[in-house]
Amino acid sequence: MPHADQSRTTPQDATAKQPGAPRPDRLHPTPLGELASRLGVKSPEGHPADVTGITHDSRAVRPGDVYAALPGARFHGADFAAQAADLGAAAILTDPAGAERAEQTGLPVLVTDDPRARMGELATEIYGHPGNDLLQIGITGTSGKTTSAYLVEGGLRAAGRSTGLIGTVEMRIGDERIKSERTTPEATDLQALFAVMRERGVEAVAMEVSSHALVLGRVDGCVFDVAVFNNLSPEHMEFHSDMEDYFQAKAQLFTPLRSRTGVVNFDDEYGRRLIKEASVPVTTFSAEGHPDADWHAEDVEISSVGSVFTVVGPGGERIRAEAPLPGPFNVANTLAAVVTLAVAGIDPQTAADGIAAVPGVPGRLERVDEGQPYLAVVDYAHKTDAVESVLRSLRKVTEGNVHIVLGCGGDRDKTKRGPMGAAAARLADTTVLTSDNPRSEDPLAILAAMLAGAAEVPIHERGDVLIEADRAAAIALAVSRAEPGDTVLIAGKGHEQGQDIAGVVRAFDDREVLRAAIRATLPAGSAREGGPEREHPGMTK
């Protein structure tokens, strides 16, 4: 049976007894009349109910909830109003199109033209404005959001703060981990999550804020203490009409409605524009060492396992910092995290030390080491700029050849497929084009678009380009080509643990498939089994 929220799957969370985000144990009943007044609508007569929660997912309704029945692409949430009523909903929030169906349940109905735009503020009210009791740091940009969030959280922990984390890979409440369903949760789930964090003593939260979240109101009700902008490059063009639309979506975060202060990358073209247009105070940073930035990096030394550099502050302070992941872009991510924490009131050297201690970020240049004499990494790079950046970074620390396995997702921005194929062909010695998550599209059609891009690279400028539609076989093919001192990069899916083919998601983890492929090529008994890692040529520890 379909449900009101077709995009959701049940979180892999041992504490969740039913679908939906974690909910606080301590409830704060809110009179339904107060919510009606906030919406500017008449309070339903004869229904003096108290509300204790809110959800947009008909399966996740708990007794006392407002059920937000939203219009959708295939169904209207009001189609599931009876299910919500059976689960104990106290009231229904919907639009005029859903009002009649909602009223058939006999529950009080709050009608507003755009219920999605209002449910964030209602959730904030119902859960008692939980974000006010947290130091909230929101991170946006095309690339680096996940890594920056982990680094910021590491710095917060080093400063003695109890932390929360919300992002693409997972949500964390202290040490509890919950699988994420999307980069930024819907407003109803987000405010409930903040309430749980407050209840469990969390003091500060680092979270990713996607452009979808800003446009679709997922962060409605949030005013971030610090908003962070990393960079902007073409992405999500199936959602945004053009780059201007994409930029304007991101820029919303740097207004008084969404944040109190901003931290912006001076090295990025759109960052420099944002510095001029933001309507909140902005602090700037430059990993390239630009003297006009408030904070900048100097003496950068890049290795295959990370980088060390000096952070120079606006008062001339000098902080020794270490990026726990390789690549110049991770110098920028690390610098952004140090500056963000300094702006938030954390001692920058304490922040830098905590960031350096972060053990890694799932699926972000994550090493797979089975004792092989070459570097093998998995990365989430799934857009042209990211593919170029990661390949250039790995080239700098690779003595031999670089081999990449790369695919493009189906039902997503088609314009990036050719450029991604071209970037890989130009910058890698071996490119194995394969499937990513083809979803409803023909995998061979996606591969053809990538191959067309690769073919545009002059033959004397490109490496070997191979095609293997089966992703596991493609990974094995790249591994079979690796020699001592080489690097094998599996790009595109990163931390993901499934592959979506024609609507069926099957278990697939690049890290595990890569590990198995490496083991299959090693002499019997030579694979690492919990012992010390062997260094590959050129690697410094």
Side-chain angles (χ1 to χ4, degrees):
M1 174 182 177
H3 298 275
D5 184 353
Q6 296 296 316
S7 66
R8 296 180 62 85
T9 55
T10 304
Q12 304 301 309
D13 172 22
T15 67
K17 301 299 190 292
Q18 64 188 100
R23 300 277 197 100
D25 293 326
R26 294 192 293 273
L27 305 178
H28 303 276
T30 304
L32 182 60
E34 288 188 13
L35 300 181
S37 177
R38 175 172 282 273
L39 291 172
V41 302
K42 184 179 179 182
S43 180
E45 296 181 2
H47 295 285
D50 282 340
V51 171
T52 53
I54 182 171
T55 181
H56 60 287
D57 186 342
S58 60
R59 299 163 294 180
V61 169
R62 301 185 185 187
D65 277 359
V66 168
Y67 167 53
L70 309 177
R74 291 188 292 167
F75 302 97
H76 195 293
D79 295 333
F80 310 96
Q83 180 184 27
D86 290 343
L87 290 173
I92 298 174
L93 170 71
T94 192
D95 61 2
E100 182 177 349
R101 282 166 285 179
E103 288 166 354
Q104 290 173 359
T105 65
L107 292 175
V109 179
L110 303 174
V111 181
T112 184
D113 289 340
D114 188 355
R116 176 179 286 280
R118 306 304 299 274
M119 68 183 187
E121 64 180 290
L122 292 191
T124 304
E125 184 73 21
I126 290 166
Y127 293 117
H129 300 268
N132 292 350
D133 298 313
L134 303 170
L135 170 63
Q136 298 178 79
I137 296 173
I139 302 162
T140 199
T142 303
S143 300
K145 293 189 298 295
T146 299
T147 297
S148 296
Y150 275 85
L151 299 182
V152 166
E153 193 215 19
L156 288 167
R157 287 190 173 219
R161 304 289 183 93
S162 175
T163 62
L165 177 75
I166 302 172
T168 305
V169 178
E170 63 184 350
M171 300 181 290
R172 294 210 297 228
I173 306 171
D175 292 326
E176 180 187 2
R177 299 185 171 203
I178 304 164
K179 186 177 182 295
S180 288
E181 299 176 30
R182 51 173 61 92
T183 297
T184 310
E186 290 285 1
T188 51
D189 292 338
L190 180 60
Q191 295 301 323
L193 186 59
F194 283 163
V196 173
M197 289 182 178
R198 177 179 62 185
E199 191 171 85
R200 298 186 189 177
V202 168
E203 300 167 283
V205 58
M207 66 175 283
E208 301 178 49
V209 182
S210 67
S211 59
H212 289 70
L214 291 159
V215 172
L216 298 175
R218 294 176 188 164
V219 290
D220 285 359
C222 296
V223 180
F224 293 94
D225 294 285
V226 186
V228 185
F229 178 88
N230 282 334
N231 49 65
L232 200 72
S233 61
E235 174 70 336
H236 304 305
M237 289 298 111
E238 79 287 353
F239 181 76
H240 297 287
S241 59
D242 53 29
M243 283 299 292
E244 179 63 20
D245 182 62
Y246 188 23
F247 172 77
Q248 292 298 337
K250 297 288 191 183
Q252 290 182 40
L253 189 58
F254 298 84
T255 65
L257 180 66
R258 302 288 190 200
S259 65
R260 295 182 174 87
T261 189
V263 171
V264 177
N265 185 0
F266 189 93
D267 299 328
D268 183 80
E269 175 186 358
Y270 284 97
R272 291 190 294 274
R273 177 179 169 186
L274 183 60
I275 292 165
K276 299 176 182 177
E277 298 182 12
S279 52
V280 296
V282 165
T283 300
T284 61
F285 68 92
S286 170
E288 297 175 6
H290 200 291
D292 289 343
D294 297 314
W295 297 73
H296 66 271
E298 289 184 356
D299 308 322
V300 179
E301 300 175 11
I302 297 174
S303 77
S304 59
V305 294
S307 306
V308 294
F309 61 98
T310 300
V311 179
V312 181
E317 56 268 55
R318 301 180 70 84
I319 296 108
R320 195 62 175 163
E322 180 178 344
L325 296 166
F329 52 91
N330 280 314
V331 173
N333 291 334
T334 299
L335 179 59
V338 172
V339 175
T340 297
L341 291 165
V343 169
I346 306 297
D347 173 72
Q349 189 61 66
T350 300
D353 293 343
I355 291 165
V358 172
V361 179
R364 273 63 179 175
L365 282 178
E366 184 174 351
R367 293 173 59 192
V368 172
D369 195 331
E370 291 296 318
Q372 76 277 4
Y374 52 85
L375 178 64
V377 293
V378 171
D379 192 76
Y380 193 51
H382 59 283
K383 44 194 168 286
T384 308
D385 284 3
V387 170
E388 291 178 349
S389 293
V390 72
L391 284 173
R392 292 184 193 281
S393 296
L394 291 172
R395 176 69 69 192
K396 291 180 180 179
V397 296
T398 301
E399 290 184 355
N401 292 326
V402 176
H403 315 279
I404 183 174
V405 174
L406 181 67
C408 286
D411 301 333
R412 298 294 186 268
D413 181 8
K414 296 182 179 181
T415 64
K416 67 181 182 179
R417 295 171 183 172
M420 282 177 64
R426 181 179 291 108
L427 297 173
D429 298 288
T430 302
T431 297
V432 184
L433 300 178
T434 189
S435 287
D436 188 289
N437 292 309
R439 299 182 177 90
S440 69
E441 288 196 61
D442 180 352
L444 295 182
I446 298 174
L447 283 171
M450 297 183 70
L451 181 61
E456 292 180 1
V457 180
I459 191 168
H460 63 279
E461 294 181 13
R462 69 174 183 247
D464 295 339
V465 179
L466 312 174
I467 297 178
E468 173 51 71
D470 182 274
R471 193 171 181 88
I475 291 172
L477 177 57
V479 166
S480 72
R481 289 191 152 220
E483 301 288 343
D486 285 1
T487 292
V488 173
L489 166 65
I490 314 301
K493 288 171 56 61
H495 63 282
E496 294 177 359
Q497 297 180 32
Q499 187 177 27
D500 187 338
I501 302 175
V504 177
V505 180
R506 64 187 182 102
F508 198 101
D509 187 326
D510 279 355
R511 296 163 295 189
E512 294 305 316
V513 175
L514 176 57
R515 185 170 285 111
I518 292 170
R519 286 189 170 191
T521 64
L522 296 177
S526 65
R528 184 175 62 83
E529 296 184 1
E533 294 181 348
R534 291 170 51 186
E535 296 185 13
H536 71 84
M539 179 180 291
T540 58
K541 292 221 176 190

